[in-house]
């Protein structure tokens, strides 16, 4: 079967890869001149990379790790020590660590929490542990029910002190969905905690050894092409053209260099677009169909990724850090954590700025000034006195509509990969799969989509072939 796929983010490429593996012919059309969507990256004039987002791979990502194995690129994941490291704003320049010992789950997680005495008191740890019991006993069904509550509401319903939020979960919530605990659905945090506590290496983190488009997306494209598929850049989906029965007749794709529109005919059609863009392209005949109407409730959240190149080393930490700063989320010194960005003498800090709703419209200059002020609070020893580091250059990458904002109530409106339109399918991190809005979620959604397209093949190839003839 020929399958036209719009979007070459992880979901579109994953769908194409697994379709090619099953003997189908995926043709991927990407609007931009770069692969990867939310993991896209670019080189500046000095040859330095800058990225849409600081990206972390977790041990709890089975489909992503399997993909690395299938592509034979496992050595590109740079695994870090099994720890979670938090800045301590009240003691600037110091860190608080949760170190997971080499024990089976959940003992390693329990030991990591119990042995950290900087952030939570014993009574807070006990009340949090008791609060988690229903999630541990009732598993995913309970986690899904909790989508009616924000994380702050859930903590209150379990009588867990607010300080637990301030100390740990503001940072976790901003890292997972770029919003605060009073907004994020408790399903998101409970899903992550379940994975981290139930799988021995669930919370172990890895950095890719270079820029995602080259080091992860390109091997996917090579695989797709080697198996008969195609991937085209600079070819945006402009319109979904329908037949009289409201199934898809063609994808109307922008021609190269803005030239005329071209109708692409296939046996099946897949949207691997971000949800906000898909909603704009939704044909009016489909707008009242329940699965598509529900998408009104899914909206991308703003986030900003910042790169600061300094003239000297500021940290020696080979890991992700949770800043616990008001404006910033996680950050890392990429000159240490990522092989291709390595610099033995100078730091390159990559920082996620979130929540970003009040900042997304501000100038790069304003954002950098605010970021430097936050860094001065975290590391006063570097930014006071005479011999202060010089910021050599910076880059700000804004994503006004990134992953869907995971507020309460989203789980029931996330669409399945199969739609009521017999030759049209959805993939993307926002579609229903158990890993929420993440790289793992995107890869899994692509795989699930390839499965449903393949299952539909008996109903698809014949009529379409006749129509083209
Ligand atoms: C700042 C930031 C940090 C993140 N950190 C992490 C992390 O640490 N760990 C993690 O697991 N996840 C992280 N994520 C989330 C992760 O990047 C996404 O969940 C995932 O990459 C989404 O993939 P996708 O294929 O569903 O969507 P996208 O990547 O958005 O792909 C959609 C593609 O469609 C293309 N497109 C748009 N319009 C058209 C059109 N008209 N025609 C054709 N193509 C079109 C886009 O250009 C894009 O390539 C982060 C995201 C951001 C923004």
């Amino acid at each position: 079967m020929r399958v036209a796929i719009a979007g070459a983010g992880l979901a579109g490429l994953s769908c194409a890869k697994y379709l090619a593996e099953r003997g189908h012919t995926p043709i991927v059309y990407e609007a931009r001149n770069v692969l990867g969507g939310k993991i896209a990256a670019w080189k500046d004039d000095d040859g330095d990379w800058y990225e849409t987002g600081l990206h972390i791979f977790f041990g709890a990502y089975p489909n992503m790790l399997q993909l690395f194995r299938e592509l034979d690129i496992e050595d590109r994941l740079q695994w870090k020590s099994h720890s979670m490291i938090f800045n301590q704003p009240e003691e600037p320049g110091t860190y608080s660590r949760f170190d997971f010992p080499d024990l089976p789950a959940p003992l390693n997680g329990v030991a990591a929490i119990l042995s950290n005495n900087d952030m939570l008191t014993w009574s807070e740890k006990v009340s949090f542990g008791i609060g988690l019991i229903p999630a541990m006993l009732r598993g995913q069904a309970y986690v899904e029910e909790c989508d009616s509550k924000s994380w702050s509401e859930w903590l209150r319903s379990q009588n867990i002190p607010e300080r637990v939020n301030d100390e740990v979960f503001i940072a976790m919530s901003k890292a997972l969905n770029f919003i605060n605990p009073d907004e994020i659905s408790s399903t998101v945090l409970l899903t992550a905690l379940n994975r981290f506590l139930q799988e021995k290496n669930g919370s172990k983190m890895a950095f890719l050894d270079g820029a995602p488009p080259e080091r992860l997306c390109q091997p996917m494209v090579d695989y797709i092409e080697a198996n008969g598929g195609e991937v085209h850049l600079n070819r945006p989906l402009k319109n979904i053209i329908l037949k009289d029965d409201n199934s898809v007749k063609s994808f109307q794709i922008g021609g190269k260099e803005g030239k005329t529109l071209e109708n692409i005919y296939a046996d099946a059609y897949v949207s691997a677009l971000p949800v906000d863009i898909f909603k704009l392209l939704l044909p009016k005949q489909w707008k009242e169909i329940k699965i598509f109407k529900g998408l009104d409730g899914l909206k991308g959240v703003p986030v900003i990724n910042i790169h600061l190149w300094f003239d000297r080393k500021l940290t020696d930490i080979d890991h992700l850090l949770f800043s616990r700063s008001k404006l910033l989320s996680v950050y890392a010194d990429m000159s240490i954590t990522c092989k291709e960005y390595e610099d033995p003498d100078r730091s390159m800090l990559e920082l996620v700025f979130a929540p970003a709703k009040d900042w997304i419209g501000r100038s790069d200059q304003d954002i950098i000034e605010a970021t430097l002020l936050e860094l001065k609070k975290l590391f006063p020893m570097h930014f006071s006195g005479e011999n202060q580091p010089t910021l050599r250059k910076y880059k700000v990458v804004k994503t006004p509509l990134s992953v869907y904002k995971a507020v309460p109530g989203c789980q029931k409106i996330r669409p399945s990969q199969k739609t009521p339109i017999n030759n049209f399918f959805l993939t993307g991190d926002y579609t229903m799969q158990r890993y929420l809005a993440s790289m793992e979620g995107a890869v899994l959604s692509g795989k699930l989509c390839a499965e449903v397209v393949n299952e539909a093949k008996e109903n698809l190839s014949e009529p379409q072939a006749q129509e083209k003839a």
Side-chain angles (χ1 to χ4, degrees):
M1 270 195 308
R2 261 172 75 84
V3 185
I5 302 173
L10 278 174
L13 292 175
S14 156
C15 180
K17 186 222 171 238
Y18 290 106
L19 281 170
E21 205 166 271
R22 288 171 187 263
H24 302 298
T25 307
I27 327 268
V28 183
Y29 297 94
E30 164 58 43
R32 301 199 287 179
N33 64 357
V34 58
L35 297 167
K38 292 184 191 75
I39 61 165
W42 303 265
K43 256 187 182 170
D44 71 8
D45 294 342
D46 305 325
D48 291 321
W49 285 100
Y50 58 98
E51 311 185 321
T52 310
L54 169 59
H55 275 89
I56 301 295
F57 297 77
F58 285 95
Y61 280 3
N63 296 284
M64 179 63 94
L65 300 186
Q66 189 189 338
L67 177 69
F68 271 80
R69 282 193 295 277
E70 288 166 355
L71 297 170
D72 202 14
I73 55 167
E74 278 170 287
D75 57 342
R76 297 184 185 185
L77 282 175
Q78 297 184 259
W79 290 99
K80 307 302 174 189
S81 68
H82 196 173
S83 320
M84 292 177 114
I85 310 177
F86 292 72
N87 275 94
Q88 303 209 83
E90 61 290 354
E91 285 178 57
T94 66
Y95 305 98
S96 177
R97 301 175 65 105
F98 290 86
D99 291 311
F100 290 67
D102 187 15
L103 294 171
L107 288 180
N108 62 345
V110 173
I113 294 169
L114 292 184
S115 60
N116 177 304
N117 293 318
D118 305 321
M119 291 168 72
L120 298 180
T121 64
W122 279 94
S123 77
E124 284 162 354
K125 288 178 197 176
V126 169
S127 52
F128 184 59
I130 293 172
L132 272 185
I133 289 173
M136 289 190 279
L137 292 182
R138 291 187 45 216
Q140 198 57 29
Y142 174 81
V143 170
E144 293 296 329
E145 275 169 30
C146 289
D147 192 42
S148 59
K149 293 189 183 81
S150 72
W151 179 250
S152 298
E153 287 166 345
W154 183 84
L155 281 184
R156 282 195 286 275
S157 72
Q158 301 305 106
N159 295 316
I160 298 168
E162 190 63 29
R163 233 187 58 85
V164 175
N165 233 355
D166 300 341
E167 288 296 299
V168 183
F169 289 105
I170 295 179
M172 290 271 279
S173 160
K174 293 200 321 177
L176 287 167
N177 199 239
F178 318 130
I179 52 179
N180 277 318
D182 52 341
E183 287 200 286
I184 198 167
S185 160
S186 52
T187 297
V188 177
L189 273 299
L190 289 171
T191 302
L193 284 173
N194 255 351
R195 299 272 67 75
F196 290 174
L197 290 173
Q198 284 174 12
E199 294 171 29
K200 181 180 174 185
N201 290 322
S203 57
K204 207 166 173 191
M205 299 180 212
F207 284 65
L208 193 60
D209 66 356
E214 279 190 6
R215 303 296 289 169
L216 172 54
C217 299
Q218 190 56 47
M220 294 173 86
V221 172
D222 295 343
Y223 187 102
I224 293 162
E225 290 177 347
N227 287 279
E230 297 168 25
V231 179
H232 302 279
L233 297 179
N234 298 312
R235 302 296 308 274
L237 173 64
K238 295 283 194 184
N239 295 297
I240 301 173
I241 308 293
L242 301 189
K243 298 186 221 169
D244 291 341
D245 67 358
N246 281 347
S247 64
V248 181
K249 182 175 180 192
S250 69
F251 266 2
Q252 210 167 54
I253 302 281
K256 282 195 186 116
E257 290 141 25
K259 288 192 189 129
T260 50
L261 295 177
E262 188 184 348
N263 277 304
I264 303 292
Y265 298 94
D267 302 298
Y269 301 84
V270 174
S271 163
L273 309 175
V275 66
D276 297 282
I277 296 181
F278 175 62
K279 283 191 284 185
L280 295 175
L281 292 175
L282 195 63
K284 67 174 185 318
Q285 295 91 319
W286 293 358
K287 288 205 163 142
E288 293 308 312
I289 299 176
K290 192 171 169 214
I291 185 173
F292 300 125
K293 208 170 158 49
L295 299 180
D296 289 342
L298 298 178
K299 192 167 187 304
V301 63
V303 66
I304 303 171
N305 201 47
I306 293 172
H307 310 71
L308 302 175
W309 284 268
F310 286 98
D311 67 342
R312 69 191 68 169
K313 277 272 186 252
L314 298 185
T315 82
D316 56 2
I317 297 188
D318 183 11
H319 217 298
L320 182 79
L321 288 137
F322 292 81
S323 74
R324 293 169 80 212
S325 120
K326 201 165 178 315
L327 297 181
L328 304 173
S329 172
V330 289
Y331 69 102
D333 189 337
M334 299 295 277
S335 72
I336 303 172
T337 54
C338 170
K339 195 166 153 201
E340 199 182 344
Y341 303 176
E342 196 174 309
D343 187 329
D345 305 316
R346 302 178 300 187
S347 284
M348 190 279 254
L349 299 189
E350 194 167 325
L351 310 106
V352 179
F353 194 108
K357 74 175 172 8
D358 297 331
W359 289 86
I360 199 83
R362 306 272 293 264
S363 70
D364 288 2
Q365 190 67 40
D366 281 358
I367 293 166
I368 292 297
E369 272 171 26
T371 303
L372 288 173
L373 278 178
E374 290 298 286
L375 281 184
K376 281 177 194 168
K377 288 187 211 154
L378 293 179
F379 305 106
M381 65 286 193
H382 290 309
F383 296 99
S384 56
E386 280 180 5
N387 188 21
Q388 293 189 27
T390 304
L391 180 63
R392 292 192 297 123
K393 61 177 178 177
Y394 63 80
K395 198 85 198 174
V396 175
V397 181
K398 294 178 180 173
T399 308
L401 297 169
S402 75
V403 296
Y404 76 92
K405 188 172 172 180
V407 292
C410 281
Q411 286 297 84
K412 59 178 183 294
I413 51 175
R414 292 174 66 201
S416 56
Q417 289 75 32
K418 190 174 161 64
T419 77
I421 310 299
N422 77 324
N423 65 350
F424 181 76
F425 303 84
L426 292 172
T427 182
D429 59 2
Y430 70 94
T431 63
M432 201 49 178
Q433 37 72 26
R434 61 193 283 238
Y435 290 91
L436 308 160
S438 65
M439 295 186 287
E440 168 71 7
V443 167
L444 174 57
S445 76
K447 195 186 252 185
L448 294 173
C449 186
E451 268 168 36
V452 289
V453 173
N454 184 57
E455 277 161 19
K457 66 176 183 260
E458 307 300 326
N459 305 329
L460 289 175
S461 20
E462 280 295 303
Q464 292 285 325
Q466 279 162 13
E467 167 149 348
K468 268 185 281 163

